Amino acid sequence: MKTTDIEKLLAEAPVPPVPEDLADRIKNEIPAELGAPSSASANVVPLHRRWAWQLAAAATLMLALTGSVTWELMQQPRVPLRDMALTSDTPTLAEGTSPQVEAPAADPADATGTTTATPAPVGSADRLRTDHLQETDRSEETRARIASPAPGIPEVRNEAPVPGRGGTQRPRVETTAAQQTEETSRPGRPQAPPSGDAPVPDPTPKRSFTGEINVTSSYPLTRTTSTSASRPISPAPAEQPTSRWRTAPPSTGGTTEPNDAPYGDVFFAEHGTNPFIDTDDDALSTFGLDVDTGSYTVLRRYLRDGHLPPREAVRIEEVVNALDYGDQPPRRKDFRLTAEAAPTPFGESDRYAVVRFGIRAREVDTSQRPPAHLTFVVDVSGSMAQENRLGLVKRALLELLDHLRDDDHVALVVFGTSGQVLLEPTEDHGQIRAAIDSLAPSGSTNAEEGLEFGYQLAAKQLNEKGLHRVILCSDGVANVGRTGPDSILGQIERYAEQGIELTTVGFGMGNYNDELMERLADTGDGRYAYVDTFAEARRLFVSELTGTLMTIARDAKAQVEFNPRTVSRYRLLGYENRDIADEQFRDPAVDAGEIGAGHSVTVLYEIKLRSDAPRRGTLATLRVRYRPAEGNRKPVELKQRLNLRNLAPSWGDASASLRLASLVAEYAELLKGSYWARRGSMRDVLRRAQQLAPSFAGDTRVADWISLVATAAELRGDDQPETSDDERQGPAQQ
Amino acid sequence: MRIAATMTTPDTVPSTPACTGHRDEQTLLAAVAGGDRAAAEELVDRTYRRVFATVARFCGGDAELAAELTQETYRRAWAGLGSFNQRAQLSTWLYRIAYTTWLNHLRRPQRPIPTESALLETVPDPEPGSEHRLVERERWQRLRKAVLDLPETLRTTVAARYWGELPVREIAVLEGISEVGIRKRLRKAIRMLSETLGEVTP
C-alpha cells in the first residue's frame, strides 16, 4: 500500500452516524452549577469538608517546603566545590596535562566495576595496577567520609578487590549525575583534597559514590552495572536535548594557564566514554554510523595553535574516520564490509585485541551524479572577520566552483545582522564568482534568517532528480533570531523531509559552537565538517565533493554481535552519542547516520578474549542496516563475520590499516583523557606511528596526523616512562 | 508539509463552522465558566459530533460505546472547566479529555478489557452498507489495528492527527514537542504503516 493511500485511508476512517439523542443526552448531564474556577465538583463540597481539604493542602505545602529546604541543603556543597575549582585548586590544575594528575582524574571509572586487573597471572605491572586501584579507592573513601560498604554485592564484576564500591552502585544513572560529576571532578583530583571538608556532591545523597563512579559515562554504564537484569534496560536515547545543550565547563585545554581557555566561548558537549561490557550481559552492540570528521580537524586546530584540546572536543569515531584505511569500495553493492583483529599493545593484558570493521560505500563518479543544487549560506557576521575566516570560506568556494559541473546550480545567501539573498540560483560561473568575491564581514549573527532564506531558495529548485544541499558556513554561533536551537532544528528537519539536506562547515575557533554545528547537520540529514585550513577546505569541497553531496544510505545502523564463547568483554571506541538500543536495530522509526558516496566508516572495538576459547569459531558478526537513498528504499541488511582465524597472531602481524586505526584511536583516547588510555603515552603512539609511516608513504593525511601526534606529545610533556605514575604511587601504599 | 497539504477534513464529519473561531471559543467558554447554561449547550452543539467521531474511531466504529464515551467526555469536561488552558483550542482540550476517557475505558476493570486485536473482532459492524464499503471497512480495520500496534508516541500522534483531526500545531502543544517533530513522527508512522500493510496487501 502506498503512503498516500495510507494517509487517505487514515483520514477517511468510517464514522458511524451520530445517535440522534446524543446531544440531548449530553446536555442533560450539564451540571446545575457550572464553571467553578477550580472544578465543578469542588463547588458542591460541604463547607467543613472544604476546610479539611484546605488543611490537607496546607500540610502538603509545608511538607513540600521542608522537602525543598532539605534538598537545598543537600545541594549546597556543590557551590563551594565549584568555587574551589576556580580558585583554590589552581595549583593542581596546572598539572592538569601531566599524566600524574590525569590518571587519578580518570580513576573514578574504576568504580564502574568493569576494570579487570587480570586475576590469575599477576605480573609486577598487574600488581602495581591493583595496588594503585586500592590506593585511590581509599583516598576517595576518606575524602567522602563514608563508612565501609555493604559487602557481598554479587552483581559487581570487579575482579580486583575494590573495597567500598560495590554496594554503592545503582543500576540506573541519571544524566544529571554524570554532568554534575563532570563539573566537580574536572579540576583533577586534588592530592590533599580541600574537598574533604565538603561532602562529595551527589544528586542522590544516600549513595555517596554514585556521582563519582560514573564520571566517564552516563547511560552505557547501565549495561554493566545492572547485571542482575537479564537484559539491559534500553539505554537513554542518544539525543538528549536537555543534557546536550548546556554550556561547557571552563576549558582545561590551556597549557600555560589553568582555566584560561585558549579561545573564548567554545561550546562542546561531553558524552563520556564507553565502558567494557561483558558478553554474558549483552553480546550486542548497536549504534548509528557516523561519517563526520569534524572532531579531527577541531583537535588539529587546537594542537596547531599550541593548545591541548578540551576533552569534550574529542569524538573518537570522528578522529578515526578522518583517515583512510585503504578499504576498497565495492563494485556493485552499496557497501563493502571488512573485518580484522589483532592483539593490541594498549590492552591490559595480552588477551586483549583490537577489532576493526571497515564499511566502505560505493563511489559515484562526478559525471554520474545527478545535477547538484547547492545553496551556500555564508556567515558574514563580524566574528567571521577574525582569523580571516571569511577569506578561507571565499577561497574554498572559489575552488569548489572550478570543480562543479555546468549543470550544477549555485545560490548564495549571506547573513550578518539579517539574512540576504546574494545570488539567486544560477549556473553562470561568472556571476557566482562575482558574488563570492563581494563577500565581506559585518554585523551580528542571524544564522536563523540566513538558513531560512537558504532553504527557501533551495525549496524553489526542488525536483525529484537533483541533489539538494544547503551548506552552512559559519562559526556556529547564532546570536540573533530565534536562538533556541529547537526552532532552527525544527525547520531543518522539515526541509530534510523534503529532500534538502544540510551540510555544516565550521570555521574559526574563538566563539565557536561545535555542538550546535554537529547537531544541525545531524538534524538536516547531512554531514558536519570543520575547516581549519585551506587544504581541509579543498579536501571537503573538492576531493570529496561527490561523497559530500550524494547520500548512498540513510539511517545507517550497525550492530555487532559478539560470540560469548570466544569474547569475554568488549568496548566500542567512540560513537558515545550514537548509541541505539539493541532492539531498535530494525526499528525504522529510529534515526541514525547518513552515508555519502565513497565514504568509509571505521568501527573499532577493544575485546578481551576468553582464556578457554575454542580454537576456531566466530569472534563477532557485524550487521549493517540502512535504507538506500535511491530505488525502492526498502531497508537492506548486510553481514560480515569475523572469525578467530582472522585474528593476527601478534600486533606486528596485523595489517597496517588495523595498526594505524588503533593508533589513531589511542591518540584520540589520550586526548580525551579516556580511562582506558590512562596508561598510554603519546610518545608511545608517536613511536609506533613513525614505524608505520612507510606503509602510508603517499598519504599526506597520515603524515599530517603523525605531526599532530608529535605536537600533542610535546604539549602533554608525557615523555616519562609509561609506568612512572604507578611506580610512584604503588610502593607508597605498600 | 506534504502531509499537511493532503490532510483535508474528511467529508464524513460535518465540521461546524463555529469550531474554528478562536476568539469566539474564548467568549463562549468564559460564559460557560460563568455558569451560563445556554452557552454550555451551544458548546455541546458545536463540538459533540466531532468528539463522537473521534471516539468512534478510537472504538473501531462501535456507535453505542462511542456515544457512551462521548457523554463521559463531556461529564469530565464540565468537571474540569477550570483546567482549560486558555492558550489551547477548545477542540484540542476536548480531544485530550476524549482520549483519556478512551484510555480509561480500556483500563476499566469491570469490563472485559478488549485487547487491541480482540476489540477489532468483537466490535459489531453498525453499518453494513454496500459490498464496496465492506471492503473499505475491512481495509480500514486492518489499518486501525496497525495504528494501534505502532510504538506509543507514534500511535498517539497518529490518533490525534487523523482520528482527532487536530492540527499539527495543536498536537505539538499536546505532546510538548516541536511541530516538526510531530510531522516527522507522522511521516515515520505512515512509513511504518505502509510497510506493515504492504506485507499483507499485494
Side-chain angles (χ1 to χ4, degrees), chain B residues 18-87:
Chain B
C19 251
T20 46
H22 192 66
R23 192 170 290 263
D24 264 352
E25 278 175 10
Q26 296 295 334
T27 41
L28 183 68
L29 268 161
V32 175
D36 184 345
R37 200 183 162 86
E41 286 186 0
E42 190 188 338
L43 188 145
V44 172
D45 282 330
R46 279 191 192 187
T47 53
Y48 83 98
R49 287 189 194 85
R50 183 155 165 191
V51 171
F52 174 80
T54 302
V55 177
R57 286 173 188 151
F58 285 148
C59 306
D62 181 343
E64 197 35 56
L65 180 63
E68 222 171 274
L69 292 180
T70 307
Q71 272 179 277
E72 191 176 332
T73 300
Y74 281 93
R75 254 175 260 143
R76 284 164 183 262
W78 307 134
L81 266 180
S83 74
F84 179 71
N85 176 356
Q86 297 297 316
R87 271 171 305 180

Side-chain angles (χ1 to χ4, degrees), chain A residues 66-246:
Chain A
T66 326
S68 72
V69 168
T70 322
W71 178 249
E72 284 294 309
L73 283 174
M74 292 186 308
Q75 293 291 301
Q76 258 175 9
R78 289 185 65 186
V79 182
L81 243 181
R82 197 185 287 154
D83 286 346
M84 245 154 27
L86 297 171
T87 53
S88 58
D89 265 0
T90 350
T92 0
L93 243 185
E95 302 168 56
T97 53
S98 73
Q100 287 95 321
V101 179
E102 187 182 307
D107 261 338
D110 279 6
T112 56
T114 53
T115 324
T116 321
T118 359
V122 187
S124 63
D126 277 325
R127 198 180 308 129
L128 282 175
R129 280 172 201 172
T130 318
D131 292 337
H132 171 66
L133 283 179
Q134 286 172 330
E135 191 271 325
T136 46
D137 292 335
R138 263 168 239 146
S139 75
E140 250 182 33
E141 216 171 334
T142 30
R143 190 159 63 92
R145 291 188 181 161
I146 59 154
S148 211
I153 282 36
E155 296 96 330
V156 182
R157 288 191 177 260
N158 264 332
E159 291 170 54
V162 181
R165 277 290 165 65
T168 60
Q169 300 194 350
R170 52 175 183 162
R172 193 107 186 126
V173 182
E174 311 295 336
T175 329
T176 46
Q179 277 171 18
Q180 208 173 331
T181 323
E182 191 196 318
E183 280 167 22
T184 49
S185 66
R186 182 158 300 281
R189 178 89 48 69
Q191 244 73 7
S195 54
D197 301 338
V200 174
D202 196 318
T204 50
K206 277 180 237 156
R207 308 181 167 202
S208 318
F209 262 127
T210 41
E212 283 286 324
I213 285 169
N214 294 310
V215 70
T216 51
S217 175
S218 47
Y219 50 83
L221 261 179
T222 54
R223 294 180 165 175
T224 29
T225 49
S226 64
T227 43
S228 50
S230 60
R231 196 95 191 102
I233 317 150
S234 66
E239 303 276 302
Q240 278 188 323
T242 43
S243 67
R244 294 188 64 182
W245 292 99
R246 70 202 161 74

Side-chain angles (χ1 to χ4, degrees), chain A residues 276-359:
Chain A
F276 265 106
I277 293 170
D278 267 42
T279 46
D280 289 336
D281 298 335
D282 182 8
L284 292 174
S285 164
T286 314
F287 55 96
L289 292 173
D290 181 11
V291 292
D292 293 350
T293 56
S295 182
Y296 176 88
T297 357
V298 169
L299 300 190
R300 178 166 74 189
R301 173 59 200 265
Y302 269 98
L303 292 170
R304 288 272 158 82
D305 285 0
H307 307 288
L308 280 174
R311 289 173 179 182
E312 57 274 17
V314 184
R315 283 187 291 272
I316 298 170
E317 74 279 9
E318 292 190 13
V319 178
V320 170
N321 277 333
L323 296 189
D324 178 10
Y325 302 102
D327 292 326
Q328 290 307 304
R331 292 224 181 88
R332 302 168 87 196
K333 287 185 179 163
D334 282 341
F335 291 101
R336 184 195 292 262
L337 309 183
T338 49
E340 53 180 342
T344 169
F346 306 118
E348 309 244 330
S349 76
D350 56 5
R351 294 225 314 275
Y352 282 82
V354 60
V355 173
R356 186 182 81 91
F357 292 110
I359 301 160

Side-chain angles (χ1 to χ4, degrees), chain A residues 639-663:
Chain A
K639 194 166 117 177
Q640 174 71 45
R641 190 167 292 164
L642 175 69
N643 289 321
L644 253 176
R645 62 183 156 76
N646 302 124
L647 178 72
S650 76
W651 169 255
D653 297 316
S655 77
S657 314
L658 178 57
R659 279 183 286 165
L660 179 64
S662 52
L663 286 174

Side-chain angles (χ1 to χ4, degrees), chain A residues 264-283:
Chain A
D265 294 344
V266 193
F267 299 98
F268 297 102
E270 169 67 47
H271 297 288
T273 308
N274 284 333
F276 265 106
I277 293 170
D278 267 42
T279 46
D280 289 336
D281 298 335
D282 182 8

